[in-house]
Amino acid sequence: MSSIDLDVVILAAGQGTRMRSSTPKVLHTLAGRSLLQHVIDTAETLTARNVAVVVGHQADTVQGSIDADVRWVQQPEQLGTGHAVQLAMSQLPGDGVVVVLYGDVPLISVQVLTNAIESAKEGSVGLVVADFADPAELGRIVRNEAGEIQRIVEFKDADQQERSITEINSGILAVPGAHLQEWLGRLKPNNKQGEYYLTDIIAMAVADGVAVEGVMAHTPEEVAGINDRVQLAALERYYQQREAERLMRAGVTIADPTRLDIRGSVEAGEDCFLDVNVVLQGKVVLGKGVRIGPGSVVTDAQIGDFTEVHAHTLIEDASIAAHVSVGPFARVRPGSVFAEGVRIGNFVETKKAQLGAGSKANHLAYLGDTVIGEACNVGAGSVTCNYDGVNKHSTNIGDNVFVGTNSTLVAPLDIHDGAFVAAGSTVTSTVDKDDLAVGRGKQRNIKGWVRPDKRKE
């Protein structure tokens, strides 16, 4: 479908009272993204010339939470889906093909939408339908004896025979714009709710001799709408199971697929291992043989082949090469870059820290705004003092440098190749190549000193 003749309308004006929340329903999250963002992202893959989002309840909040190039359409008074589409169409060209989506139906696939669009390109209405074991209060598809779609009946307006139908209307459809404009103009609020139903255009299409093609969704979950938190949790689990299966088919071992959360896009090489309670957020790329330990959270990171992230480690916006060891209980903050063979141990925190091949900080250290060369060792309790209360300053360390335990490196600071910092030193000035830096106060031993708990009152 060419981008010049396709428009998408997303309905997102409802209040969502059953969510029992001050947050608009369409802004509740599934897999780390709002329901509405899921739908917008799908719409954008269709290369539409316009994406119009109809908002009503807490419109300002909804608009302020979405970063996307869309047309915002206000529906101050909710008079039904047909009314919402009327308002959207008043701001769109009205030709080509129009696709109608819903802000609380987040998992509709591009393939199903493409099939519906193909029907609309041929002059038909492409209506997305699904078969539900328990259709509950969803609208039913009414067909004639030849199996042709005749109309849609809303649950509240359906009789007992119609309520026994299990084929449901998802509400999602693709329709030629010229037909849609005409049918919208003929809508009447002739129902128990006094609303303008978009579904009424199906009967109009049939009456006008326009074919209505039912496009079957792959799964019920694909067209499942979210009305309360129970449904949201169920769809979250479905999504996570689907993503876990995708990774396992690509060669990833997952200790327990029910205890993995993916909140973004994940690419993984063969023979990776993800332990329980791992969370992968944003864009995560894992090389071959990567192992992620239990309770670890990885966000927007690239991790090279055969690197191991040990238990309860946090990694964010970092680039980590092959054969690196991180954690347990490490925190790798944004801007950290680790070369091959680096070792970051327990209770080590890094921020904008570049470590060269083979360098290590095995425990209890803070490395911020730091460039460290190859084959260096940073001892326990060592910190880079990068912040003076106003500005951040950098520490530059060459190759083969040894920083002893409990050292304080006060930036801005340069420590050149082969230098050695004695344990317990506070270093404030440049250390030249192969020099030993000792920055300690002179030790004094006081004879006759009495511990406070042994002193007399």
Side-chain angles (χ1 to χ4, degrees), residues 126 191 291 341:
N191 52 71
R291 298 180 67 86

PDB file of all heavy atoms in Angstrom, residues 126 191 291 341:
ATOM      1  N   GLY A 126     -12.770  -4.354   4.251  1.00  0.00           N
ATOM      2  CA  GLY A 126     -11.994  -5.400   4.914  1.00  0.00           C
ATOM      3  C   GLY A 126     -12.242  -5.315   6.413  1.00  0.00           C
ATOM      4  O   GLY A 126     -11.724  -4.415   7.073  1.00  0.00           O
ATOM      5  N   ASN A 191     -30.259   3.210  18.447  1.00  0.00           N
ATOM      6  CA  ASN A 191     -29.918   2.087  19.303  1.00  0.00           C
ATOM      7  C   ASN A 191     -30.195   2.477  20.750  1.00  0.00           C
ATOM      8  O   ASN A 191     -30.502   3.637  21.053  1.00  0.00           O
ATOM      9  CB  ASN A 191     -28.439   1.702  19.120  1.00  0.00           C
ATOM     10  CG  ASN A 191     -27.511   2.903  19.267  1.00  0.00           C
ATOM     11  OD1 ASN A 191     -27.322   3.430  20.358  1.00  0.00           O
ATOM     12  ND2 ASN A 191     -26.946   3.360  18.141  1.00  0.00           N
ATOM     13  N   ARG A 291      25.214 -14.977  28.623  1.00  0.00           N
ATOM     14  CA  ARG A 291      24.470 -15.497  29.770  1.00  0.00           C
ATOM     15  C   ARG A 291      24.063 -14.325  30.662  1.00  0.00           C
ATOM     16  O   ARG A 291      24.911 -13.520  31.058  1.00  0.00           O
ATOM     17  CB  ARG A 291      25.309 -16.492  30.574  1.00  0.00           C
ATOM     18  CG  ARG A 291      25.721 -17.729  29.766  1.00  0.00           C
ATOM     19  CD  ARG A 291      26.553 -18.690  30.611  1.00  0.00           C
ATOM     20  NE  ARG A 291      25.773 -19.287  31.695  1.00  0.00           N
ATOM     21  CZ  ARG A 291      25.022 -20.376  31.573  1.00  0.00           C
ATOM     22  NH1 ARG A 291      24.943 -20.998  30.391  1.00  0.00           N
ATOM     23  NH2 ARG A 291      24.353 -20.856  32.600  1.00  0.00           N
ATOM     24  N   GLY A 341      37.181  -8.819  27.371  1.00  0.00           N
ATOM     25  CA  GLY A 341      37.857  -9.354  28.540  1.00  0.00           C
ATOM     26  C   GLY A 341      37.787  -8.508  29.792  1.00  0.00           C
ATOM     27  O   GLY A 341      38.409  -8.845  30.807  1.00  0.00           O
TER      28      GLY A 341
END
